mmCIF file of all heavy atoms in Angstrom:
data_model
loop_
_atom_site.group_PDB
_atom_site.id
_atom_site.type_symbol
_atom_site.label_atom_id
_atom_site.label_comp_id
_atom_site.label_asym_id
_atom_site.label_seq_id
_atom_site.Cartn_x
_atom_site.Cartn_y
_atom_site.Cartn_z
ATOM 1 N N ALA A 137 2.413 18.980 3.394
ATOM 2 C CA ALA A 137 1.943 18.126 2.298
ATOM 3 C C ALA A 137 3.097 17.859 1.342
ATOM 4 O O ALA A 137 3.919 18.733 1.095
ATOM 5 C CB ALA A 137 0.796 18.807 1.566
ATOM 6 N N PRO A 138 3.181 16.648 0.802
ATOM 7 C CA PRO A 138 4.280 16.340 -0.114
ATOM 8 C C PRO A 138 4.163 17.148 -1.396
ATOM 9 O O PRO A 138 3.063 17.393 -1.889
ATOM 10 C CB PRO A 138 4.116 14.844 -0.383
ATOM 11 C CG PRO A 138 2.704 14.547 -0.060
ATOM 12 C CD PRO A 138 2.280 15.528 0.982
ATOM 13 N N MET A 139 5.307 17.558 -1.910
ATOM 14 C CA MET A 139 5.338 18.307 -3.158
ATOM 15 C C MET A 139 5.290 17.306 -4.314
ATOM 16 O O MET A 139 6.169 16.468 -4.452
ATOM 17 C CB MET A 139 6.609 19.153 -3.255
ATOM 18 C CG MET A 139 6.719 20.217 -2.172
ATOM 19 S SD MET A 139 5.333 21.368 -2.147
ATOM 20 C CE MET A 139 5.501 22.151 -3.711
ATOM 21 N N VAL A 140 4.254 17.371 -5.098
ATOM 22 C CA VAL A 140 4.095 16.480 -6.236
ATOM 23 C C VAL A 140 4.071 17.333 -7.494
ATOM 24 O O VAL A 140 3.204 18.193 -7.655
ATOM 25 C CB VAL A 140 2.793 15.657 -6.112
ATOM 26 C CG1 VAL A 140 2.642 14.738 -7.297
ATOM 27 C CG2 VAL A 140 2.784 14.868 -4.823
ATOM 28 N N SER A 141 5.017 17.100 -8.378
ATOM 29 C CA SER A 141 5.126 17.851 -9.615
ATOM 30 C C SER A 141 3.971 17.498 -10.549
ATOM 31 O O SER A 141 3.694 16.320 -10.790
ATOM 32 C CB SER A 141 6.458 17.529 -10.290
ATOM 33 O OG SER A 141 6.439 17.912 -11.633
ATOM 34 N N ASP A 142 3.304 18.512 -11.085
ATOM 35 C CA ASP A 142 2.201 18.276 -12.019
ATOM 36 C C ASP A 142 2.679 17.555 -13.278
ATOM 37 O O ASP A 142 1.964 16.716 -13.828
ATOM 38 C CB ASP A 142 1.524 19.596 -12.400
ATOM 39 C CG ASP A 142 0.702 20.175 -11.265
ATOM 40 O OD1 ASP A 142 0.302 19.394 -10.367
ATOM 41 O OD2 ASP A 142 0.449 21.390 -11.280
ATOM 42 N N ASP A 143 3.881 17.875 -13.727
ATOM 43 C CA ASP A 143 4.429 17.215 -14.909
ATOM 44 C C ASP A 143 4.656 15.730 -14.659
ATOM 45 O O ASP A 143 4.352 14.887 -15.503
ATOM 46 C CB ASP A 143 5.745 17.875 -15.337
ATOM 47 C CG ASP A 143 5.548 19.307 -15.806
ATOM 48 O OD1 ASP A 143 4.419 19.640 -16.231
ATOM 49 O OD2 ASP A 143 6.509 20.091 -15.732
ATOM 50 N N MET A 144 5.188 15.407 -13.461
ATOM 51 C CA MET A 144 5.433 14.012 -13.118
ATOM 52 C C MET A 144 4.112 13.249 -13.026
ATOM 53 O O MET A 144 3.991 12.129 -13.522
ATOM 54 C CB MET A 144 6.184 13.895 -11.793
ATOM 55 C CG MET A 144 6.534 12.460 -11.447
ATOM 56 S SD MET A 144 7.115 12.250 -9.775
ATOM 57 C CE MET A 144 5.563 12.165 -8.901
ATOM 58 N N VAL A 145 3.118 13.857 -12.412
ATOM 59 C CA VAL A 145 1.816 13.222 -12.266
ATOM 60 C C VAL A 145 1.194 12.970 -13.636
ATOM 61 O O VAL A 145 0.671 11.886 -13.904
ATOM 62 C CB VAL A 145 0.880 14.085 -11.386
ATOM 63 C CG1 VAL A 145 -0.545 13.591 -11.460
ATOM 64 C CG2 VAL A 145 1.365 14.100 -9.951
ATOM 65 N N GLN A 146 1.273 13.942 -14.525
ATOM 66 C CA GLN A 146 0.702 13.788 -15.860
ATOM 67 C C GLN A 146 1.417 12.691 -16.641
ATOM 68 O O GLN A 146 0.772 11.864 -17.296
ATOM 69 C CB GLN A 146 0.756 15.116 -16.622
ATOM 70 C CG GLN A 146 0.090 15.072 -17.975
ATOM 71 C CD GLN A 146 -1.401 14.761 -17.899
ATOM 72 O OE1 GLN A 146 -2.055 15.039 -16.906
ATOM 73 N NE2 GLN A 146 -1.927 14.154 -18.937
ATOM 74 N N ALA A 147 2.746 12.660 -16.569
ATOM 75 C CA ALA A 147 3.503 11.627 -17.278
ATOM 76 C C ALA A 147 3.179 10.240 -16.724
ATOM 77 O O ALA A 147 2.997 9.284 -17.489
ATOM 78 C CB ALA A 147 5.003 11.909 -17.165
ATOM 79 N N LEU A 148 3.091 10.134 -15.406
ATOM 80 C CA LEU A 148 2.757 8.867 -14.770
ATOM 81 C C LEU A 148 1.353 8.422 -15.165
ATOM 82 O O LEU A 148 1.121 7.257 -15.480
ATOM 83 C CB LEU A 148 2.872 9.013 -13.252
ATOM 84 C CG LEU A 148 2.814 7.758 -12.404
ATOM 85 C CD1 LEU A 148 3.909 6.793 -12.808
ATOM 86 C CD2 LEU A 148 2.941 8.118 -10.938
ATOM 87 N N ARG A 149 0.447 9.352 -15.198
ATOM 88 C CA ARG A 149 -0.932 9.043 -15.580
ATOM 89 C C ARG A 149 -1.010 8.511 -17.008
ATOM 90 O O ARG A 149 -1.687 7.519 -17.288
ATOM 91 C CB ARG A 149 -1.788 10.287 -15.432
ATOM 92 C CG ARG A 149 -3.213 10.070 -15.843
ATOM 93 C CD ARG A 149 -4.004 11.330 -15.705
ATOM 94 N NE ARG A 149 -5.369 11.085 -16.118
ATOM 95 C CZ ARG A 149 -6.262 12.033 -16.273
ATOM 96 N NH1 ARG A 149 -5.948 13.280 -16.050
ATOM 97 N NH2 ARG A 149 -7.475 11.744 -16.641
ATOM 98 N N GLU A 150 -0.322 9.173 -17.924
ATOM 99 C CA GLU A 150 -0.346 8.751 -19.318
ATOM 100 C C GLU A 150 0.258 7.358 -19.486
ATOM 101 O O GLU A 150 -0.280 6.526 -20.217
ATOM 102 C CB GLU A 150 0.393 9.771 -20.185
ATOM 103 C CG GLU A 150 -0.363 11.078 -20.341
ATOM 104 C CD GLU A 150 0.467 12.174 -20.985
ATOM 105 O OE1 GLU A 150 1.630 11.908 -21.372
ATOM 106 O OE2 GLU A 150 -0.053 13.298 -21.095
ATOM 107 N N ARG A 151 1.371 7.110 -18.806
ATOM 108 C CA ARG A 151 2.010 5.792 -18.905
ATOM 109 C C ARG A 151 1.119 4.704 -18.329
ATOM 110 O O ARG A 151 0.990 3.623 -18.903
ATOM 111 C CB ARG A 151 3.358 5.807 -18.181
ATOM 112 C CG ARG A 151 4.432 6.569 -18.932
ATOM 113 C CD ARG A 151 5.702 6.728 -18.141
ATOM 114 N NE ARG A 151 6.253 5.457 -17.701
ATOM 115 C CZ ARG A 151 7.082 5.345 -16.659
ATOM 116 N NH1 ARG A 151 7.419 6.408 -15.956
ATOM 117 N NH2 ARG A 151 7.554 4.174 -16.320
ATOM 118 N N LEU A 152 0.508 4.974 -17.177
ATOM 119 C CA LEU A 152 -0.383 3.988 -16.571
ATOM 120 C C LEU A 152 -1.586 3.701 -17.450
ATOM 121 O O LEU A 152 -1.973 2.547 -17.650
ATOM 122 C CB LEU A 152 -0.851 4.478 -15.189
ATOM 123 C CG LEU A 152 0.044 4.149 -14.018
ATOM 124 C CD1 LEU A 152 -0.396 4.905 -12.785
ATOM 125 C CD2 LEU A 152 0.049 2.669 -13.743
ATOM 126 N N GLU A 153 -2.186 4.749 -17.966
ATOM 127 C CA GLU A 153 -3.379 4.575 -18.805
ATOM 128 C C GLU A 153 -3.047 3.774 -20.054
ATOM 129 O O GLU A 153 -3.769 2.845 -20.427
ATOM 130 C CB GLU A 153 -3.941 5.944 -19.174
ATOM 131 C CG GLU A 153 -5.262 5.882 -19.898
ATOM 132 C CD GLU A 153 -5.826 7.266 -20.093
ATOM 133 O OE1 GLU A 153 -5.985 7.989 -19.099
ATOM 134 O OE2 GLU A 153 -6.093 7.621 -21.262
ATOM 135 N N GLU A 154 -1.945 4.113 -20.692
ATOM 136 C CA GLU A 154 -1.541 3.437 -21.926
ATOM 137 C C GLU A 154 -1.257 1.956 -21.682
ATOM 138 O O GLU A 154 -1.730 1.093 -22.416
ATOM 139 C CB GLU A 154 -0.297 4.128 -22.486
ATOM 140 C CG GLU A 154 0.236 3.523 -23.753
ATOM 141 C CD GLU A 154 1.491 4.248 -24.212
ATOM 142 O OE1 GLU A 154 1.479 5.489 -24.243
ATOM 143 O OE2 GLU A 154 2.471 3.562 -24.520
ATOM 144 N N THR A 155 -0.488 1.650 -20.630
ATOM 145 C CA THR A 155 -0.129 0.252 -20.385
ATOM 146 C C THR A 155 -1.310 -0.554 -19.863
ATOM 147 O O THR A 155 -1.457 -1.722 -20.223
ATOM 148 C CB THR A 155 1.053 0.143 -19.404
ATOM 149 O OG1 THR A 155 0.751 0.875 -18.224
ATOM 150 C CG2 THR A 155 2.325 0.659 -20.026
ATOM 151 N N ALA A 156 -2.163 0.040 -19.036
ATOM 152 C CA ALA A 156 -3.336 -0.686 -18.534
ATOM 153 C C ALA A 156 -4.287 -1.007 -19.684
ATOM 154 O O ALA A 156 -4.831 -2.107 -19.766
ATOM 155 C CB ALA A 156 -4.054 0.117 -17.446
ATOM 156 N N GLN A 157 -4.486 -0.061 -20.577
ATOM 157 C CA GLN A 157 -5.369 -0.302 -21.717
ATOM 158 C C GLN A 157 -4.776 -1.361 -22.649
ATOM 159 O O GLN A 157 -5.494 -2.214 -23.147
ATOM 160 C CB GLN A 157 -5.612 1.010 -22.491
ATOM 161 C CG GLN A 157 -6.478 2.001 -21.760
ATOM 162 C CD GLN A 157 -7.891 1.486 -21.542
ATOM 163 O OE1 GLN A 157 -8.438 0.776 -22.373
ATOM 164 N NE2 GLN A 157 -8.473 1.839 -20.417
ATOM 165 N N ALA A 158 -3.461 -1.290 -22.860
ATOM 166 C CA ALA A 158 -2.824 -2.259 -23.747
ATOM 167 C C ALA A 158 -2.860 -3.656 -23.143
ATOM 168 O O ALA A 158 -3.072 -4.647 -23.848
ATOM 169 C CB ALA A 158 -1.374 -1.849 -24.021
ATOM 170 N N ARG A 159 -2.656 -3.754 -21.856
ATOM 171 C CA ARG A 159 -2.577 -5.059 -21.199
ATOM 172 C C ARG A 159 -3.945 -5.648 -20.909
ATOM 173 O O ARG A 159 -4.187 -6.821 -21.132
ATOM 174 C CB ARG A 159 -1.775 -4.924 -19.903
ATOM 175 C CG ARG A 159 -1.666 -6.184 -19.109
ATOM 176 C CD ARG A 159 -0.815 -7.204 -19.836
ATOM 177 N NE ARG A 159 -0.708 -8.390 -19.021
ATOM 178 C CZ ARG A 159 -0.701 -9.612 -19.493
ATOM 179 N NH1 ARG A 159 -0.752 -9.812 -20.770
ATOM 180 N NH2 ARG A 159 -0.608 -10.629 -18.702
ATOM 181 N N LEU A 160 -4.849 -4.837 -20.363
ATOM 182 C CA LEU A 160 -6.127 -5.354 -19.880
ATOM 183 C C LEU A 160 -7.332 -4.872 -20.669
ATOM 184 O O LEU A 160 -8.413 -5.429 -20.542
ATOM 185 C CB LEU A 160 -6.312 -4.960 -18.406
ATOM 186 C CG LEU A 160 -5.229 -5.456 -17.444
ATOM 187 C CD1 LEU A 160 -5.360 -4.772 -16.109
ATOM 188 C CD2 LEU A 160 -5.314 -6.959 -17.296
ATOM 189 N N GLY A 161 -7.177 -3.795 -21.436
ATOM 190 C CA GLY A 161 -8.307 -3.229 -22.148
ATOM 191 C C GLY A 161 -9.215 -2.413 -21.252
ATOM 192 O O GLY A 161 -10.298 -2.027 -21.633
ATOM 193 N N ARG A 162 -8.789 -2.183 -20.033
ATOM 194 C CA ARG A 162 -9.581 -1.419 -19.056
ATOM 195 C C ARG A 162 -8.663 -0.966 -17.928
ATOM 196 O O ARG A 162 -7.466 -1.187 -17.966
ATOM 197 C CB ARG A 162 -10.709 -2.273 -18.503
ATOM 198 C CG ARG A 162 -10.209 -3.554 -17.852
ATOM 199 C CD ARG A 162 -11.354 -4.388 -17.339
ATOM 200 N NE ARG A 162 -10.961 -5.755 -17.063
ATOM 201 C CZ ARG A 162 -10.206 -6.135 -16.049
ATOM 202 N NH1 ARG A 162 -9.746 -5.250 -15.205
ATOM 203 N NH2 ARG A 162 -9.894 -7.399 -15.873
ATOM 204 N N SER A 163 -9.255 -0.363 -16.911
ATOM 205 C CA SER A 163 -8.457 0.092 -15.775
ATOM 206 C C SER A 163 -8.013 -1.095 -14.929
ATOM 207 O O SER A 163 -8.521 -2.205 -15.065
ATOM 208 C CB SER A 163 -9.264 1.074 -14.926
ATOM 209 O OG SER A 163 -10.383 0.425 -14.380
ATOM 210 N N LEU A 164 -7.072 -0.850 -14.048
ATOM 211 C CA LEU A 164 -6.501 -1.889 -13.209
ATOM 212 C C LEU A 164 -7.229 -1.920 -11.871
ATOM 213 O O LEU A 164 -7.364 -0.895 -11.204
ATOM 214 C CB LEU A 164 -5.010 -1.608 -12.999
ATOM 215 C CG LEU A 164 -4.211 -2.673 -12.282
ATOM 216 C CD1 LEU A 164 -4.074 -3.898 -13.177
ATOM 217 C CD2 LEU A 164 -2.829 -2.134 -11.946
ATOM 218 N N SER A 165 -7.687 -3.086 -11.468
ATOM 219 C CA SER A 165 -8.387 -3.252 -10.196
ATOM 220 C C SER A 165 -7.460 -3.933 -9.197
ATOM 221 O O SER A 165 -6.830 -4.946 -9.515
ATOM 222 C CB SER A 165 -9.641 -4.099 -10.384
ATOM 223 O OG SER A 165 -10.507 -3.481 -11.290
ATOM 224 N N ILE A 166 -7.412 -3.378 -7.983
ATOM 225 C CA ILE A 166 -6.469 -3.841 -6.958
ATOM 226 C C ILE A 166 -7.231 -4.303 -5.732
ATOM 227 O O ILE A 166 -8.123 -3.603 -5.238
ATOM 228 C CB ILE A 166 -5.512 -2.699 -6.557
ATOM 229 C CG1 ILE A 166 -4.791 -2.149 -7.782
ATOM 230 C CG2 ILE A 166 -4.526 -3.169 -5.502
ATOM 231 C CD1 ILE A 166 -4.129 -0.812 -7.546
ATOM 232 N N ARG A 167 -6.858 -5.461 -5.215
ATOM 233 C CA ARG A 167 -7.378 -5.942 -3.939
ATOM 234 C C ARG A 167 -6.213 -5.948 -2.976
ATOM 235 O O ARG A 167 -5.205 -6.609 -3.204
ATOM 236 C CB ARG A 167 -7.966 -7.347 -4.092
ATOM 237 C CG ARG A 167 -8.317 -8.019 -2.788
ATOM 238 C CD ARG A 167 -9.510 -7.369 -2.140
ATOM 239 N NE ARG A 167 -9.887 -8.131 -0.959
ATOM 240 C CZ ARG A 167 -10.331 -7.571 0.145
ATOM 241 N NH1 ARG A 167 -10.478 -6.269 0.221
ATOM 242 N NH2 ARG A 167 -10.664 -8.306 1.163
ATOM 243 N N GLN A 168 -6.337 -5.215 -1.891
ATOM 244 C CA GLN A 168 -5.280 -5.147 -0.889
ATOM 245 C C GLN A 168 -5.507 -6.231 0.152
ATOM 246 O O GLN A 168 -6.628 -6.424 0.624
ATOM 247 C CB GLN A 168 -5.274 -3.761 -0.232
ATOM 248 C CG GLN A 168 -4.027 -3.459 0.558
ATOM 249 C CD GLN A 168 -4.150 -3.802 2.013
ATOM 250 O OE1 GLN A 168 -5.202 -3.676 2.604
ATOM 251 N NE2 GLN A 168 -3.067 -4.243 2.609
#
Side-chain angles (χ1 to χ4, degrees):
M139 297 302 296
V140 180
S141 163
D142 288 337
D143 295 336
M144 184 191 83
V145 168
Q146 184 62 27
L148 191 58
R149 178 181 180 189
E150 289 170 3
R151 286 173 56 203
L152 273 169
E153 187 174 305
E154 179 182 312
T155 53
Q157 289 296 325
R159 178 68 179 143
L160 301 168
R162 57 181 164 72
S163 64
L164 187 70
S165 300
I166 304 165
R167 170 70 174 143
Q168 194 267 325

